[in-house]
Short mmCIF file of all heavy atoms in Angstrom, two decimals:
data_model
loop_
_atom_site.label_atom_id
_atom_site.label_comp_id
_atom_site.label_asym_id
_atom_site.label_seq_id
_atom_site.Cartn_x
_atom_site.Cartn_y
_atom_site.Cartn_z
N ASN A 1437 81.82 64.75 56.82
CA ASN A 1437 83.23 64.50 56.53
C ASN A 1437 83.45 64.50 55.02
O ASN A 1437 82.51 64.38 54.23
CB ASN A 1437 83.67 63.16 57.12
CG ASN A 1437 83.55 63.11 58.62
OD1 ASN A 1437 83.75 64.11 59.31
ND2 ASN A 1437 83.23 61.94 59.15
N SER A 1438 84.70 64.61 54.64
CA SER A 1438 85.08 64.58 53.22
C SER A 1438 84.22 65.52 52.40
O SER A 1438 83.68 65.15 51.34
CB SER A 1438 84.96 63.14 52.68
OG SER A 1438 85.77 62.25 53.42
N LEU A 1439 84.09 66.72 52.87
CA LEU A 1439 83.21 67.68 52.22
C LEU A 1439 83.70 68.06 50.84
O LEU A 1439 84.92 68.12 50.58
CB LEU A 1439 83.06 68.93 53.09
CG LEU A 1439 82.12 68.73 54.29
CD1 LEU A 1439 82.34 69.80 55.34
CD2 LEU A 1439 80.67 68.74 53.82
N LYS A 1440 82.74 68.28 49.96
CA LYS A 1440 83.02 68.62 48.58
C LYS A 1440 82.40 69.99 48.27
O LYS A 1440 81.44 70.41 48.92
CB LYS A 1440 82.39 67.58 47.65
CG LYS A 1440 82.80 66.15 47.93
CD LYS A 1440 82.03 65.18 47.05
CE LYS A 1440 82.40 63.74 47.33
NZ LYS A 1440 81.64 62.79 46.48
N PRO A 1441 82.91 70.67 47.27
CA PRO A 1441 82.31 71.97 46.90
C PRO A 1441 80.81 71.85 46.62
O PRO A 1441 80.06 72.80 46.92
CB PRO A 1441 83.09 72.35 45.65
CG PRO A 1441 84.43 71.72 45.83
CD PRO A 1441 84.14 70.40 46.50
N GLU A 1442 80.37 70.74 46.10
CA GLU A 1442 78.94 70.58 45.81
C GLU A 1442 78.09 70.41 47.06
O GLU A 1442 76.86 70.37 46.97
CB GLU A 1442 78.71 69.41 44.85
CG GLU A 1442 79.37 68.11 45.25
CD GLU A 1442 80.71 67.90 44.55
OE1 GLU A 1442 81.50 68.87 44.45
OE2 GLU A 1442 80.96 66.74 44.13
N ASP A 1443 78.72 70.31 48.22
CA ASP A 1443 77.97 70.29 49.48
C ASP A 1443 77.63 71.70 49.94
O ASP A 1443 76.90 71.87 50.93
CB ASP A 1443 78.77 69.59 50.58
CG ASP A 1443 78.98 68.11 50.29
OD1 ASP A 1443 78.02 67.44 49.86
OD2 ASP A 1443 80.10 67.62 50.52
N THR A 1444 78.14 72.69 49.26
CA THR A 1444 77.85 74.08 49.62
C THR A 1444 76.37 74.36 49.48
O THR A 1444 75.77 74.11 48.43
CB THR A 1444 78.65 75.03 48.72
OG1 THR A 1444 80.04 74.86 48.97
CG2 THR A 1444 78.26 76.48 48.98
N ALA A 1445 75.77 74.83 50.57
CA ALA A 1445 74.33 75.09 50.59
C ALA A 1445 73.95 75.68 51.94
O ALA A 1445 74.74 75.67 52.88
CB ALA A 1445 73.55 73.80 50.36
N VAL A 1446 72.72 76.16 52.01
CA VAL A 1446 72.13 76.46 53.30
C VAL A 1446 71.49 75.17 53.81
O VAL A 1446 70.72 74.53 53.08
CB VAL A 1446 71.09 77.57 53.20
CG1 VAL A 1446 70.43 77.83 54.56
CG2 VAL A 1446 71.74 78.86 52.68
N TYR A 1447 71.83 74.79 55.01
CA TYR A 1447 71.33 73.56 55.60
C TYR A 1447 70.24 73.90 56.61
O TYR A 1447 70.43 74.76 57.48
CB TYR A 1447 72.47 72.80 56.28
CG TYR A 1447 73.36 72.09 55.30
CD1 TYR A 1447 74.23 72.81 54.48
CD2 TYR A 1447 73.34 70.69 55.17
CE1 TYR A 1447 75.04 72.15 53.56
CE2 TYR A 1447 74.15 70.03 54.26
CZ TYR A 1447 74.99 70.77 53.46
OH TYR A 1447 75.80 70.12 52.55
N TYR A 1448 69.13 73.21 56.48
CA TYR A 1448 67.99 73.41 57.35
C TYR A 1448 67.66 72.11 58.08
O TYR A 1448 67.78 71.03 57.52
CB TYR A 1448 66.75 73.79 56.54
CG TYR A 1448 66.88 75.02 55.70
CD1 TYR A 1448 67.38 74.95 54.40
CD2 TYR A 1448 66.47 76.27 56.18
CE1 TYR A 1448 67.49 76.08 53.60
CE2 TYR A 1448 66.57 77.40 55.38
CZ TYR A 1448 67.08 77.30 54.10
OH TYR A 1448 67.18 78.43 53.32
N CYS A 1449 67.20 72.24 59.33
CA CYS A 1449 66.63 71.07 59.97
C CYS A 1449 65.12 71.27 60.09
O CYS A 1449 64.63 72.41 60.15
CB CYS A 1449 67.25 70.79 61.32
SG CYS A 1449 67.05 72.05 62.59
N ALA A 1450 64.42 70.18 60.07
CA ALA A 1450 62.96 70.20 60.15
C ALA A 1450 62.51 69.06 61.06
O ALA A 1450 63.16 68.03 61.14
CB ALA A 1450 62.36 70.03 58.75
N ALA A 1451 61.41 69.29 61.75
CA ALA A 1451 60.88 68.30 62.68
C ALA A 1451 59.50 67.84 62.27
O ALA A 1451 58.72 68.60 61.69
CB ALA A 1451 60.83 68.90 64.09
N ASP A 1452 59.22 66.60 62.58
CA ASP A 1452 57.89 66.03 62.36
C ASP A 1452 57.39 65.52 63.70
O ASP A 1452 57.62 64.36 64.06
CB ASP A 1452 57.96 64.91 61.32
CG ASP A 1452 56.58 64.41 60.94
OD1 ASP A 1452 55.58 64.94 61.46
OD2 ASP A 1452 56.50 63.47 60.12
N PRO A 1453 56.73 66.41 64.49
CA PRO A 1453 56.25 65.99 65.81
C PRO A 1453 55.24 64.88 65.70
O PRO A 1453 54.36 64.89 64.84
CB PRO A 1453 55.61 67.27 66.36
CG PRO A 1453 56.24 68.38 65.60
CD PRO A 1453 56.48 67.82 64.23
N GLY A 1454 55.40 63.91 66.54
CA GLY A 1454 54.48 62.79 66.55
C GLY A 1454 54.89 61.65 65.66
O GLY A 1454 54.28 60.58 65.67
N ALA A 1455 55.96 61.85 64.89
CA ALA A 1455 56.40 60.80 63.97
C ALA A 1455 57.47 59.95 64.62
O ALA A 1455 58.39 60.47 65.24
CB ALA A 1455 56.94 61.42 62.69
N ARG A 1456 57.36 58.67 64.47
CA ARG A 1456 58.37 57.76 65.00
C ARG A 1456 59.31 57.26 63.92
O ARG A 1456 60.29 56.58 64.22
CB ARG A 1456 57.72 56.60 65.71
CG ARG A 1456 56.85 57.04 66.87
CD ARG A 1456 56.47 55.89 67.76
NE ARG A 1456 55.53 56.31 68.80
CZ ARG A 1456 55.46 55.75 69.99
NH1 ARG A 1456 56.25 54.76 70.30
NH2 ARG A 1456 54.58 56.17 70.87
N ILE A 1457 59.00 57.55 62.68
CA ILE A 1457 59.93 57.24 61.59
C ILE A 1457 60.27 58.54 60.90
O ILE A 1457 59.70 59.59 61.21
CB ILE A 1457 59.32 56.24 60.58
CG1 ILE A 1457 58.10 56.87 59.89
CG2 ILE A 1457 58.96 54.94 61.27
CD1 ILE A 1457 57.59 56.03 58.73
N CYS A 1458 61.22 58.51 60.01
CA CYS A 1458 61.60 59.73 59.30
C CYS A 1458 61.58 59.50 57.80
O CYS A 1458 61.76 58.37 57.34
CB CYS A 1458 62.99 60.22 59.75
SG CYS A 1458 64.38 59.23 59.16
N VAL A 1459 61.36 60.56 57.06
CA VAL A 1459 61.39 60.51 55.60
C VAL A 1459 62.15 61.72 55.08
O VAL A 1459 62.19 62.77 55.72
CB VAL A 1459 59.97 60.52 55.00
CG1 VAL A 1459 59.24 59.23 55.37
CG2 VAL A 1459 59.17 61.73 55.46
N LEU A 1460 62.74 61.55 53.92
CA LEU A 1460 63.49 62.65 53.30
C LEU A 1460 62.64 63.35 52.25
O LEU A 1460 63.00 63.46 51.09
CB LEU A 1460 64.79 62.12 52.67
CG LEU A 1460 65.89 61.77 53.64
CD1 LEU A 1460 67.09 61.19 52.90
CD2 LEU A 1460 66.32 62.98 54.44
N ARG A 1461 61.49 63.80 52.70
CA ARG A 1461 60.54 64.47 51.83
C ARG A 1461 60.10 65.74 52.53
O ARG A 1461 59.46 65.70 53.58
CB ARG A 1461 59.36 63.56 51.52
CG ARG A 1461 58.38 64.09 50.51
CD ARG A 1461 57.34 63.04 50.15
NE ARG A 1461 56.59 62.59 51.30
CZ ARG A 1461 56.64 61.36 51.79
NH1 ARG A 1461 57.41 60.46 51.21
NH2 ARG A 1461 55.91 61.01 52.83
N ALA A 1462 60.42 66.87 51.93
CA ALA A 1462 60.17 68.16 52.58
C ALA A 1462 58.69 68.36 52.91
O ALA A 1462 58.35 68.97 53.92
CB ALA A 1462 60.69 69.29 51.72
N SER A 1463 57.82 67.84 52.07
CA SER A 1463 56.39 68.06 52.28
C SER A 1463 55.86 67.36 53.51
O SER A 1463 54.75 67.65 53.97
CB SER A 1463 55.61 67.60 51.04
OG SER A 1463 55.84 66.22 50.79
N SER A 1464 56.63 66.45 54.08
CA SER A 1464 56.22 65.75 55.29
C SER A 1464 56.43 66.57 56.55
O SER A 1464 56.00 66.18 57.62
CB SER A 1464 56.96 64.42 55.42
OG SER A 1464 56.62 63.54 54.37
N TYR A 1465 57.11 67.69 56.39
CA TYR A 1465 57.45 68.52 57.55
C TYR A 1465 56.67 69.83 57.44
O TYR A 1465 56.82 70.58 56.48
CB TYR A 1465 58.96 68.76 57.59
CG TYR A 1465 59.72 67.45 57.74
CD1 TYR A 1465 60.03 66.69 56.63
CD2 TYR A 1465 60.07 66.97 59.00
CE1 TYR A 1465 60.68 65.47 56.76
CE2 TYR A 1465 60.73 65.76 59.13
CZ TYR A 1465 61.03 65.01 58.01
OH TYR A 1465 61.67 63.81 58.13
N GLY A 1466 55.85 70.09 58.44
CA GLY A 1466 55.01 71.27 58.42
C GLY A 1466 55.82 72.55 58.39
O GLY A 1466 56.94 72.62 58.91
N THR A 1467 55.23 73.57 57.80
CA THR A 1467 55.95 74.82 57.62
C THR A 1467 56.35 75.47 58.94
O THR A 1467 57.26 76.30 58.99
CB THR A 1467 55.11 75.81 56.80
OG1 THR A 1467 53.83 75.96 57.42
CG2 THR A 1467 54.93 75.30 55.37
N ASP A 1468 55.65 75.11 60.01
CA ASP A 1468 55.97 75.71 61.31
C ASP A 1468 57.14 75.02 62.00
O ASP A 1468 57.56 75.45 63.08
CB ASP A 1468 54.75 75.63 62.24
CG ASP A 1468 53.65 76.57 61.81
OD1 ASP A 1468 53.95 77.53 61.07
OD2 ASP A 1468 52.50 76.35 62.22
N TYR A 1469 57.69 73.98 61.40
CA TYR A 1469 58.70 73.19 62.09
C TYR A 1469 60.00 73.13 61.32
O TYR A 1469 60.61 72.07 61.16
CB TYR A 1469 58.16 71.78 62.35
CG TYR A 1469 56.95 71.78 63.24
CD1 TYR A 1469 55.68 71.55 62.73
CD2 TYR A 1469 57.09 72.05 64.60
CE1 TYR A 1469 54.58 71.55 63.56
CE2 TYR A 1469 55.98 72.05 65.43
CZ TYR A 1469 54.74 71.81 64.90
OH TYR A 1469 53.64 71.82 65.71
N TRP A 1470 60.43 74.28 60.85
CA TRP A 1470 61.70 74.40 60.16
C TRP A 1470 62.56 75.44 60.87
O TRP A 1470 62.06 76.44 61.37
CB TRP A 1470 61.50 74.86 58.71
CG TRP A 1470 60.92 73.81 57.82
CD1 TRP A 1470 59.62 73.41 57.76
CD2 TRP A 1470 61.63 73.04 56.85
NE1 TRP A 1470 59.47 72.44 56.81
CE2 TRP A 1470 60.67 72.19 56.23
CE3 TRP A 1470 62.94 72.98 56.43
CZ2 TRP A 1470 61.03 71.28 55.22
CZ3 TRP A 1470 63.29 72.08 55.43
CH2 TRP A 1470 62.34 71.25 54.84
N GLY A 1471 63.87 75.20 60.89
CA GLY A 1471 64.78 76.24 61.34
C GLY A 1471 65.04 77.23 60.22
O GLY A 1471 64.56 77.07 59.10
N LYS A 1472 65.81 78.24 60.54
CA LYS A 1472 66.09 79.29 59.56
C LYS A 1472 67.31 78.99 58.69
O LYS A 1472 67.57 79.70 57.73
CB LYS A 1472 66.28 80.63 60.28
CG LYS A 1472 65.01 81.11 60.97
CD LYS A 1472 65.16 82.50 61.52
CE LYS A 1472 63.90 82.94 62.24
NZ LYS A 1472 62.73 82.92 61.36
N GLY A 1473 68.05 77.96 59.04
CA GLY A 1473 69.15 77.52 58.20
C GLY A 1473 70.50 78.03 58.65
O GLY A 1473 70.61 79.05 59.34
#
């Protein structure tokens, strides 16, 4: 909501199988578990 021009980007989702918590660190998500954006 309340989107701003600086929100413009390609958005990707990534999964960490086996994880019960989440982190906002790209290196925690294996290269095989990313969408194409």
Side-chain angles (χ1 to χ4, degrees):
N1437 298 326
S1438 302
L1439 283 162
K1440 304 174 181 180
E1442 51 263 43
D1443 295 317
T1444 295
V1446 177
Y1447 284 72
Y1448 302 87
C1449 63
D1452 187 1
R1456 300 194 185 209
I1457 64 171
C1458 72
V1459 294
L1460 285 177
R1461 186 173 59 246
S1463 59
S1464 295
Y1465 299 85
T1467 54
D1468 289 340
Y1469 298 106
W1470 287 78
K1472 295 187 182 301

